[in-house]
Amino acid sequence: MLLIPCPHCGPRAQTEFSYGGDANVARPPAPEDADGGTWVDYLYLRDNAKGGHDELWQHIFGCRRWLRVGRDVVSHEITSCTELAESGA
Amino acid sequence: MSHYSLANLVRHGLTGHRGWKPAWRDPAPQAGYDAIIVGGGGHGLASAYYLAKNHGLNNIAVLEKGWLGGGNTGRNTTIVRSNYLLDANAHFYEHGMKLWEGLSRDLNFNVMFSQRGVINLAHSKGQLETFRRRGNAMRLNGIDAELLDRDAVATLVPGMDVSANSRFPVEGGLLQPRGGTARHDAVAWGYARAADRRGVDIIQNCEVTGIRRDQSGVTGVETSRGFIASKRIGLAVAGHSTQLAAMAGLRLPIESHVLQAMVSEPVKPVLDTVVTFGAAHLYVSQSDKGELVMGGDIDGYNSFAQRGNLPVIEHVAACLLALFPQFSRLRILRTWGGIMDMTMDGSPIIGTTPVPGLFLNGGWCYGGFKATPASGWVFAHTMATGQPHALNADLNLNRFHQGRVLDEKGAGPYPWLH
């Protein structure tokens, strides 16, 4: 069981959270000017790193805030957990 | 190497079975090959076998980091089916089903293919109507499908609670009678032995650490046992496709997730078909040893750890007991996890890549095991001719760039939801 240290609610079990995927995927800044390749990158292509991974989780059975979690996807160690709105991403 | 037959069994029996030779050789890597396949699981071995058998190539190597079939080939729940809605998937998996039906004889190796039927349960009139649509689509594609009402389900699975009082009352189901199970390890071993007999070098404990390329395309692979040259390289390493493709400078529409499976302690025969319970997600069958073999959803977050987490195990067990309350006293004997390539549309990727000479067979999501023969068949064709086979033309990597995604569930580009 992952224990996610929610900055508002404290350490909570993963079953209280909903997964939101890779946190570093950014929508094209000027969508109207983006070409097909840019959209393919944004929609489909992922780094899928074997190691440190920045990812989104929503605390749906807690504060309902979106969080940005740093986790090692091999050891499952959680190295950071911050409020998404304050992370600048 | 002896042909497996009753005559040879008797002949070896007369000498106390001391005369059997290893089923495949253990060769050292040569300096170069006409084709190299990375990954010694079912898909890689099947690809090598069909390259040799259908296309006459026999200067081929299969490179395996660990041991044969030690990845997802040995970690799945052994279910074989071709009950797909979309044409591209239906034709591809149905070709696989036809290969399964003759596989033991073709390989001279008993893969214990058992066509015990696969039942998808429906729990509402609406769900049954979507099954009717899928069943009709299957029949139009020449695949067997039967729509079942509740009584027919009760007759086929007498141990299941189909009463109106159950947690999820059963409304009916969709049966594919030709679906079933096969012995997963035997599939890897059978293809390995058959490929080896056609001259394929199967090299275990040989990890690929880099892919060399020049302007014209790939030129070979760096491995833990030295450089091996080849202008034709196929990747069949589902779970780590991202990492291998990155060695050639490619980014893929794939995330790696852990999928768990588990078995109960063995009991006498109680379930002679495969039951899938899509409403809450469980699939269960009984192995020939008597264990109930179960699986459910992926854990739902990126993972390269070949182990999962308790919430999914609890969920799978709860689903099992909702359908079969009498199993409440069975104990879980083992659980394990395998790393899935989850693609952005839930369908596999098999075909060419933008790098000349590099071919990709991956993105199998939950569905790799049943696809093994068809995957090897079309991947061998793709590697031999440089062009996709008609059956994998729609499964090529470039579908994401061309807006031709194959999303059976309509879930969108969220790999953890497929």
Side-chain angles (χ1 to χ4, degrees), chain B residues 370-385:
Chain B
K370 63 178 172 288
T372 304
S375 155
W377 186 280
V378 301
F379 198 47
H381 178 98
T382 307
M383 287 186 68
T385 64

Side-chain angles (χ1 to χ4, degrees), chain A residues 1 14 19 48 50 71 73, chain B residues 240 242 251 302 304 309:
Chain A
M1 183 81 83
Q14 107 200 26
Y19 187 61
N48 192 27
K50 184 176 183 178
R71 183 175 61 90
V73 297
Chain B
H240 285 78
T242 300
R251 273 180 101 213
N302 292 45
F304 280 91
N309 226 328

Side-chain angles (χ1 to χ4, degrees), chain A:
Chain A
M1 183 81 83
L2 303 178
L3 195 62
I4 299 176
C6 175
H8 303 290
C9 313
R12 297 295 185 93
Q14 107 200 26
T15 47
E16 292 187 10
F17 296 81
S18 175
Y19 187 61
D22 189 331
N24 291 322
V25 176
R27 193 175 165 82
E32 61 280 9
D33 299 329
D35 62 6
T38 308
W39 283 110
V40 168
D41 274 5
Y42 162 65
L43 277 172
Y44 299 126
L45 302 187
R46 296 292 178 266
D47 291 337
N48 192 27
K50 184 176 183 178
H53 191 242
D54 286 331
E55 56 198 24
L56 302 175
W57 290 83
Q58 188 188 12
H59 197 181
I60 52 169
F61 295 122
C63 57
R64 297 199 58 81
R65 303 295 288 178
W66 278 97
L67 307 174
R68 185 187 178 96
V69 177
R71 183 175 61 90
D72 187 300
V73 297
V74 179
S75 70
H76 293 329
E77 183 190 0
I78 290 174
T79 50
S80 65
C81 181
T82 54
E83 166 83 24
L84 178 63
E86 293 164 7
S87 71

Side-chain angles (χ1 to χ4, degrees), chain B residues 34-107:
Chain B
D34 291 340
I36 287 176
I37 291 166
V38 185
H43 290 264
L45 294 164
S47 303
Y49 171 67
Y50 291 119
L51 267 174
K53 184 185 175 205
N54 296 353
H55 302 281
L57 283 176
N58 45 28
N59 186 27
I60 306 171
V62 176
L63 308 181
E64 167 55 45
K65 170 175 76 167
W67 66 94
L68 288 191
N72 294 332
T73 300
R75 293 167 190 269
N76 56 76
T77 49
T78 79
I79 298 168
V80 175
R81 59 186 175 83
S82 59
N83 53 355
Y84 282 79
L85 172 72
L86 301 179
D87 286 349
N89 281 331
H91 294 159
F92 173 75
Y93 285 108
E94 177 59 14
H95 181 66
M97 180 64 82
K98 287 176 178 147
L99 291 173
W100 277 111
E101 287 173 331
L103 194 60
S104 292
R105 184 170 293 268
D106 185 34
L107 298 180

Side-chain angles (χ1 to χ4, degrees), chain B residues 72-80 112 116-118 180-185 259-277 281-296 313 316-317 319-320 323-324 327 330-336 369:
Chain B
N72 294 332
T73 300
R75 293 167 190 269
N76 56 76
T77 49
T78 79
I79 298 168
V80 175
M112 298 168 72
R116 57 185 68 184
V118 173
T181 59
R183 171 83 202 279
H184 50 7
D185 295 326
L259 177 63
Q260 300 194 71
M262 61 211 76
V263 292
S264 73
E265 57 190 326
V267 289
K268 289 191 175 179
V270 286
L271 184 62
D272 64 356
T273 184
V274 181
V275 175
T276 77
F277 176 35
H281 218 167
L282 161 81
Y283 29 94
V284 57
S285 64
Q286 189 174 23
S287 75
D288 292 346
K289 279 190 290 184
E291 304 147 327
L292 294 177
V293 185
M294 293 167 273
I313 297 173
V316 167
C319 291
L320 180 75
L323 293 177
F324 299 93
F327 293 156
L330 280 183
R331 292 165 198 206
I332 296 282
L333 190 67
R334 282 179 293 128
T335 75
W336 62 93
F369 177 68

Side-chain angles (χ1 to χ4, degrees), chain B residues 75-211:
Chain B
R75 293 167 190 269
N76 56 76
T77 49
T78 79
I79 298 168
V80 175
R81 59 186 175 83
S82 59
N83 53 355
Y84 282 79
L85 172 72
L86 301 179
D87 286 349
N89 281 331
H91 294 159
F92 173 75
Y93 285 108
E94 177 59 14
H95 181 66
M97 180 64 82
K98 287 176 178 147
L99 291 173
W100 277 111
E101 287 173 331
L103 194 60
S104 292
R105 184 170 293 268
D106 185 34
L107 298 180
N108 181 231
F109 200 100
N110 186 4
V111 300
M112 298 168 72
F113 183 46
S114 161
Q115 292 180 293
R116 57 185 68 184
V118 173
I119 299 175
N120 302 152
L121 295 177
H123 302 274
S124 67
K125 295 268 191 245
Q127 199 182 5
L128 199 56
E129 286 306 310
T130 65
F131 282 7
R132 187 192 302 276
R133 176 183 176 226
R134 179 152 56 91
N136 283 334
M138 288 166 61
R139 292 173 79 128
L140 287 170
N141 278 323
I143 302 168
D144 58 323
E146 288 176 27
L147 199 68
L148 307 174
D149 61 16
R150 194 182 71 161
D151 290 345
V153 171
T155 306
L156 278 171
V157 195
M160 191 165 63
D161 180 7
V162 297
S163 70
N165 297 327
S166 66
R167 178 68 184 82
F168 297 99
V170 172
E171 191 71 38
L174 183 66
L175 169 70
Q176 185 182 18
R178 287 157 66 237
T181 59
R183 171 83 202 279
H184 50 7
D185 295 326
V187 174
W189 300 333
Y191 273 119
R193 174 169 168 274
D196 180 88
R197 293 174 94 184
R198 289 180 179 270
V200 174
D201 279 0
I202 298 168
I203 302 162
Q204 301 179 70
N205 299 309
C206 181
E207 180 173 2
V208 171
T209 53
I211 296 175

